[in-house]
Amino acid sequence: MMMQLPETTQQKNSLLNAMNRFIGAVNNMDQTVMVPSLLRDVPLDEDRELSCVKSDLEEGDMYSYYQLLKSIRRDIEWGVRCATADERRMESMKITRTNSSASTSSSASSTSSDDDDEEDEDLEKQFQFHLTGLHGVLSKLTQQANCLTKRYKQEVGIGGWGQ
């Protein structure tokens, strides 16, 4: 049995912890929402924290957003849904063309170590950019899952007034 140590500030900002917080919030939402159909026709725009999502969804009700949050959780836990066979075939053709043209151009000219350093730096910047964005999105989704849970409790009249 391992003893859990308190999280440091850096650990709280880790991507794994952000994913775990999101998954926990969606699990809590899923356990709280016993009758998801009650969320149908409950508009998102009544809640400031959820109203920004309304433009992204065709249906502007909380049920659609409930399903979306569960779908994102599933993608995090199990990986993104597989692409269709045609998309995979097209992607592999694109990669093959890119690799063959890259090998042709690399055999014609040698790469300097400065170019490699620039590419590595660029990859690091890209990684930091996407990591920061993903962390921000997960934080917002976690907040919105918690908000949806709270809103459901209000709709069905469960929980205390102070929650």
Side-chain angles (χ1 to χ4, degrees):
M1 184 165 127
M2 285 181 33
M3 185 173 83
Q4 284 188 328
L5 299 174
E7 288 183 347
T8 65
T9 304
Q10 287 182 329
Q11 287 174 323
K12 286 182 181 179
N13 292 327
S14 83
L15 181 59
L16 290 175
N17 285 334
M19 287 190 295
N20 284 332
R21 281 190 297 271
F22 169 72
I23 290 169
V26 174
N27 287 342
N28 182 45
M29 174 190 78
D30 208 15
Q31 291 171 357
T32 302
V33 178
M34 301 304 265
V35 185
S37 62
L38 291 177
L39 295 171
R40 290 191 192 275
D41 301 324
V42 177
L44 289 170
D45 61 353
E46 289 180 20
D47 199 312
R48 278 182 283 131
E49 292 174 1
L50 293 173
S51 62
C52 61
V53 178
K54 188 173 184 181
S55 62
D56 296 340
L57 296 173
E58 289 177 20
E59 300 175 39
D61 65 4
M62 290 183 65
Y63 179 78
S64 301
Y65 200 60
Y66 169 81
Q67 296 291 42
L68 176 68
L69 289 167
K70 286 179 57 172
S71 173
I72 293 170
R73 176 192 61 190
R74 185 178 53 250
D75 288 347
I76 289 173
E77 291 177 329
W78 297 100
V80 278
R81 287 172 232 114
C82 295
T84 64
D86 291 338
E87 289 174 341
R88 282 182 272 174
R89 196 173 329 117
M90 293 299 287
E91 187 64 29
S92 72
M93 287 173 51
K94 201 184 309 180
I95 290 170
T96 305
R97 286 187 199 136
T98 305
N99 288 343
S100 64
S101 66
S103 64
T104 306
S105 66
S106 68
S107 62
S109 67
S110 63
T111 350
S112 70
S113 64
D114 290 342
D115 291 342
D116 289 342
D117 291 343
E118 286 178 22
E119 287 178 17
D120 289 344
E121 187 176 313
D122 187 46
L123 286 174
E124 185 179 2
K125 286 180 183 176
Q126 288 178 23
F127 174 75
Q128 291 297 326
F129 174 78
H130 290 293
L131 183 65
T132 302
L134 182 57
H135 193 278
V137 168
L138 285 169
S139 295
K140 287 178 185 177
L141 289 170
T142 301
Q143 180 182 13
Q144 291 174 347
N146 289 332
C147 183
L148 191 143
T149 303
K150 179 182 169 188
R151 180 82 184 278
Y152 176 83
K153 286 180 176 182
Q154 290 172 347
E155 290 292 321
V156 296
I158 59 175
W161 292 103
Q163 292 182 348

